[in-house]
mmCIF file of all heavy atoms in Angstrom:
data_model
loop_
_atom_site.group_PDB
_atom_site.id
_atom_site.type_symbol
_atom_site.label_atom_id
_atom_site.label_comp_id
_atom_site.label_asym_id
_atom_site.label_seq_id
_atom_site.Cartn_x
_atom_site.Cartn_y
_atom_site.Cartn_z
ATOM 1 N N LEU A 247 93.412 57.335 114.719
ATOM 2 C CA LEU A 247 94.232 57.298 113.553
ATOM 3 C C LEU A 247 95.574 56.672 113.851
ATOM 4 O O LEU A 247 96.094 55.838 113.098
ATOM 5 C CB LEU A 247 94.496 58.714 113.010
ATOM 6 C CG LEU A 247 95.485 58.923 111.847
ATOM 7 C CD1 LEU A 247 94.902 58.133 110.600
ATOM 8 C CD2 LEU A 247 95.568 60.458 111.432
ATOM 9 N N GLY A 248 96.077 56.961 115.018
ATOM 10 C CA GLY A 248 97.333 56.423 115.512
ATOM 11 C C GLY A 248 97.257 54.883 115.604
ATOM 12 O O GLY A 248 98.090 54.152 115.225
ATOM 13 N N LYS A 249 96.090 54.366 116.079
ATOM 14 C CA LYS A 249 95.877 52.958 116.212
ATOM 15 C C LYS A 249 95.876 52.265 114.847
ATOM 16 O O LYS A 249 96.378 51.129 114.583
ATOM 17 C CB LYS A 249 94.593 52.649 117.032
ATOM 18 C CG LYS A 249 94.685 52.998 118.494
ATOM 19 C CD LYS A 249 93.364 53.190 119.217
ATOM 20 C CE LYS A 249 92.748 51.761 119.372
ATOM 21 N NZ LYS A 249 91.495 51.942 120.221
ATOM 22 N N LEU A 250 95.211 52.947 113.924
ATOM 23 C CA LEU A 250 95.262 52.403 112.474
ATOM 24 C C LEU A 250 96.574 52.446 112.009
ATOM 25 O O LEU A 250 96.989 51.465 111.283
ATOM 26 C CB LEU A 250 94.250 53.359 111.671
ATOM 27 C CG LEU A 250 94.399 53.101 110.214
ATOM 28 C CD1 LEU A 250 93.899 51.663 109.738
ATOM 29 C CD2 LEU A 250 93.535 54.130 109.363
ATOM 30 N N GLN A 251 97.380 53.441 112.210
ATOM 31 C CA GLN A 251 98.776 53.531 111.709
ATOM 32 C C GLN A 251 99.723 52.456 112.294
ATOM 33 O O GLN A 251 100.628 51.947 111.624
ATOM 34 C CB GLN A 251 99.336 54.972 111.952
ATOM 35 C CG GLN A 251 98.619 56.025 111.024
ATOM 36 C CD GLN A 251 98.934 57.363 111.536
ATOM 37 O OE1 GLN A 251 99.036 57.698 112.776
ATOM 38 N NE2 GLN A 251 98.989 58.378 110.572
ATOM 39 N N VAL A 252 99.415 52.015 113.523
ATOM 40 C CA VAL A 252 100.192 50.943 114.072
ATOM 41 C C VAL A 252 99.819 49.670 113.315
ATOM 42 O O VAL A 252 100.733 48.935 113.031
ATOM 43 C CB VAL A 252 99.768 50.741 115.597
ATOM 44 C CG1 VAL A 252 100.389 49.482 116.107
ATOM 45 C CG2 VAL A 252 100.202 51.908 116.390
ATOM 46 N N ARG A 253 98.546 49.435 112.996
ATOM 47 C CA ARG A 253 98.089 48.288 112.252
ATOM 48 C C ARG A 253 98.743 48.250 110.894
ATOM 49 O O ARG A 253 99.012 47.087 110.334
ATOM 50 C CB ARG A 253 96.577 48.207 112.135
ATOM 51 C CG ARG A 253 95.903 47.888 113.406
ATOM 52 C CD ARG A 253 94.392 47.830 113.260
ATOM 53 N NE ARG A 253 93.916 46.723 112.418
ATOM 54 C CZ ARG A 253 92.755 46.451 112.196
ATOM 55 N NH1 ARG A 253 91.733 47.155 112.724
ATOM 56 N NH2 ARG A 253 92.380 45.490 111.413
ATOM 57 N N THR A 254 98.893 49.403 110.261
ATOM 58 C CA THR A 254 99.494 49.391 108.919
ATOM 59 C C THR A 254 101.037 49.613 108.957
ATOM 60 O O THR A 254 101.703 49.833 107.955
ATOM 61 C CB THR A 254 98.821 50.578 108.070
ATOM 62 O OG1 THR A 254 99.065 51.763 108.640
ATOM 63 C CG2 THR A 254 97.360 50.327 107.854
ATOM 64 N N ARG A 255 101.516 49.564 110.158
ATOM 65 C CA ARG A 255 102.964 49.658 110.377
ATOM 66 C C ARG A 255 103.619 50.870 109.948
ATOM 67 O O ARG A 255 104.791 51.010 109.527
ATOM 68 C CB ARG A 255 103.804 48.488 109.749
ATOM 69 C CG ARG A 255 103.187 47.084 110.254
ATOM 70 C CD ARG A 255 104.162 45.904 109.714
ATOM 71 N NE ARG A 255 105.346 45.919 110.404
ATOM 72 C CZ ARG A 255 105.606 45.465 111.643
ATOM 73 N NH1 ARG A 255 104.591 44.994 112.339
ATOM 74 N NH2 ARG A 255 106.865 45.463 112.183
ATOM 75 N N ASP A 256 102.785 52.085 110.045
ATOM 76 C CA ASP A 256 103.279 53.367 109.805
ATOM 77 C C ASP A 256 103.642 53.971 111.150
ATOM 78 O O ASP A 256 102.953 54.677 111.778
ATOM 79 C CB ASP A 256 102.212 54.222 109.149
ATOM 80 C CG ASP A 256 102.557 55.691 108.904
ATOM 81 O OD1 ASP A 256 103.791 56.065 109.179
ATOM 82 O OD2 ASP A 256 101.739 56.506 108.564
ATOM 83 N N PHE A 257 104.765 53.480 111.599
ATOM 84 C CA PHE A 257 105.227 53.735 112.946
ATOM 85 C C PHE A 257 105.527 55.343 113.203
ATOM 86 O O PHE A 257 105.256 55.884 114.213
ATOM 87 C CB PHE A 257 106.393 52.889 113.499
ATOM 88 C CG PHE A 257 106.101 51.463 113.428
ATOM 89 C CD1 PHE A 257 107.020 50.543 112.932
ATOM 90 C CD2 PHE A 257 104.815 51.022 113.773
ATOM 91 C CE1 PHE A 257 106.816 49.130 112.938
ATOM 92 C CE2 PHE A 257 104.551 49.591 113.759
ATOM 93 C CZ PHE A 257 105.554 48.706 113.412
ATOM 94 N N VAL A 258 106.118 55.911 112.264
ATOM 95 C CA VAL A 258 106.372 57.362 112.313
ATOM 96 C C VAL A 258 105.096 58.157 112.494
ATOM 97 O O VAL A 258 104.883 58.973 113.312
ATOM 98 C CB VAL A 258 107.292 57.818 111.036
ATOM 99 C CG1 VAL A 258 107.277 59.334 111.142
ATOM 100 C CG2 VAL A 258 108.609 57.097 111.094
ATOM 101 N N GLY A 259 104.081 57.746 111.623
ATOM 102 C CA GLY A 259 102.816 58.395 111.586
ATOM 103 C C GLY A 259 102.147 58.202 112.866
ATOM 104 O O GLY A 259 101.421 59.020 113.550
ATOM 105 N N ALA A 260 102.204 56.955 113.461
ATOM 106 C CA ALA A 260 101.548 56.546 114.695
ATOM 107 C C ALA A 260 102.095 57.379 115.876
ATOM 108 O O ALA A 260 101.309 57.845 116.672
ATOM 109 C CB ALA A 260 101.730 55.070 114.829
ATOM 110 N N ARG A 261 103.394 57.472 115.846
ATOM 111 C CA ARG A 261 103.945 58.228 116.961
ATOM 112 C C ARG A 261 103.497 59.768 116.971
ATOM 113 O O ARG A 261 103.251 60.359 117.978
ATOM 114 C CB ARG A 261 105.506 58.226 116.765
ATOM 115 C CG ARG A 261 106.166 57.075 117.563
ATOM 116 C CD ARG A 261 107.634 57.325 117.695
ATOM 117 N NE ARG A 261 108.322 56.302 118.428
ATOM 118 C CZ ARG A 261 108.341 56.202 119.834
ATOM 119 N NH1 ARG A 261 107.770 57.167 120.503
ATOM 120 N NH2 ARG A 261 109.007 55.143 120.316
ATOM 121 N N LYS A 262 103.435 60.313 115.678
ATOM 122 C CA LYS A 262 102.960 61.641 115.592
ATOM 123 C C LYS A 262 101.508 61.792 116.082
ATOM 124 O O LYS A 262 101.175 62.689 116.877
ATOM 125 C CB LYS A 262 103.193 62.156 114.216
ATOM 126 C CG LYS A 262 102.680 63.525 113.974
ATOM 127 C CD LYS A 262 102.862 64.029 112.519
ATOM 128 C CE LYS A 262 102.409 65.407 112.201
ATOM 129 N NZ LYS A 262 102.506 65.812 110.909
ATOM 130 N N SER A 263 100.634 60.914 115.589
ATOM 131 C CA SER A 263 99.223 61.005 115.921
ATOM 132 C C SER A 263 98.985 60.846 117.452
ATOM 133 O O SER A 263 98.272 61.579 118.059
ATOM 134 C CB SER A 263 98.425 60.007 115.099
ATOM 135 O OG SER A 263 98.509 60.222 113.755
ATOM 136 N N LEU A 264 99.659 59.774 117.965
ATOM 137 C CA LEU A 264 99.459 59.491 119.457
ATOM 138 C C LEU A 264 100.047 60.551 120.284
ATOM 139 O O LEU A 264 99.499 60.900 121.293
ATOM 140 C CB LEU A 264 100.018 58.111 119.771
ATOM 141 C CG LEU A 264 99.304 56.918 119.085
ATOM 142 C CD1 LEU A 264 100.027 55.652 119.350
ATOM 143 C CD2 LEU A 264 97.853 56.847 119.531
ATOM 144 N N GLY A 265 101.173 61.156 119.788
ATOM 145 C CA GLY A 265 101.787 62.297 120.512
ATOM 146 C C GLY A 265 100.849 63.461 120.574
ATOM 147 O O GLY A 265 100.717 64.190 121.586
ATOM 148 N N GLN A 266 100.242 63.806 119.551
ATOM 149 C CA GLN A 266 99.269 64.889 119.397
ATOM 150 C C GLN A 266 98.080 64.647 120.295
ATOM 151 O O GLN A 266 97.619 65.559 120.975
ATOM 152 C CB GLN A 266 98.909 65.137 117.905
ATOM 153 C CG GLN A 266 99.922 65.701 117.055
ATOM 154 C CD GLN A 266 99.511 65.799 115.583
ATOM 155 O OE1 GLN A 266 98.523 65.109 115.194
ATOM 156 N NE2 GLN A 266 100.237 66.580 114.828
ATOM 157 N N ALA A 267 97.611 63.388 120.312
ATOM 158 C CA ALA A 267 96.486 63.110 121.157
ATOM 159 C C ALA A 267 96.874 63.240 122.650
ATOM 160 O O ALA A 267 96.055 63.740 123.475
ATOM 161 C CB ALA A 267 95.962 61.666 120.837
ATOM 162 N N GLN A 268 98.020 62.789 122.994
ATOM 163 C CA GLN A 268 98.539 62.840 124.390
ATOM 164 C C GLN A 268 98.628 64.249 124.792
ATOM 165 O O GLN A 268 98.255 64.618 125.952
ATOM 166 C CB GLN A 268 99.816 62.177 124.551
ATOM 167 C CG GLN A 268 100.336 62.133 126.012
ATOM 168 C CD GLN A 268 101.639 61.450 126.149
ATOM 169 O OE1 GLN A 268 102.059 60.568 125.293
ATOM 170 N NE2 GLN A 268 102.384 61.724 127.187
ATOM 171 N N GLU A 269 99.159 65.091 123.952
ATOM 172 C CA GLU A 269 99.378 66.503 124.274
ATOM 173 C C GLU A 269 98.041 67.244 124.662
ATOM 174 O O GLU A 269 97.920 67.949 125.519
ATOM 175 C CB GLU A 269 100.042 67.220 123.092
ATOM 176 C CG GLU A 269 100.343 68.674 123.355
ATOM 177 C CD GLU A 269 101.066 69.418 122.233
ATOM 178 O OE1 GLU A 269 101.604 68.680 121.327
ATOM 179 O OE2 GLU A 269 101.082 70.652 122.146
ATOM 180 N N ILE A 270 97.038 66.979 123.710
ATOM 181 C CA ILE A 270 95.697 67.524 123.944
ATOM 182 C C ILE A 270 95.078 66.982 125.238
ATOM 183 O O ILE A 270 94.506 67.672 126.049
ATOM 184 C CB ILE A 270 94.803 67.251 122.802
ATOM 185 C CG1 ILE A 270 95.405 67.971 121.547
ATOM 186 C CG2 ILE A 270 93.344 67.832 123.074
ATOM 187 C CD1 ILE A 270 94.636 67.475 120.209
ATOM 188 N N GLY A 271 95.135 65.699 125.411
ATOM 189 C CA GLY A 271 94.639 65.100 126.596
ATOM 190 C C GLY A 271 95.208 65.602 127.927
ATOM 191 O O GLY A 271 94.517 65.843 128.853
#
Side-chain angles (χ1 to χ4, degrees):
L247 178 59
K249 290 164 70 174
L250 169 63
Q251 289 166 326
V252 172
R253 289 181 65 177
T254 59
R255 305 190 68 81
D256 177 8
F257 299 142
V258 173
R261 271 195 178 277
K262 180 179 179 182
S263 296
L264 294 174
Q266 290 173 343
Q268 181 179 338
E269 182 179 345
I270 297 168

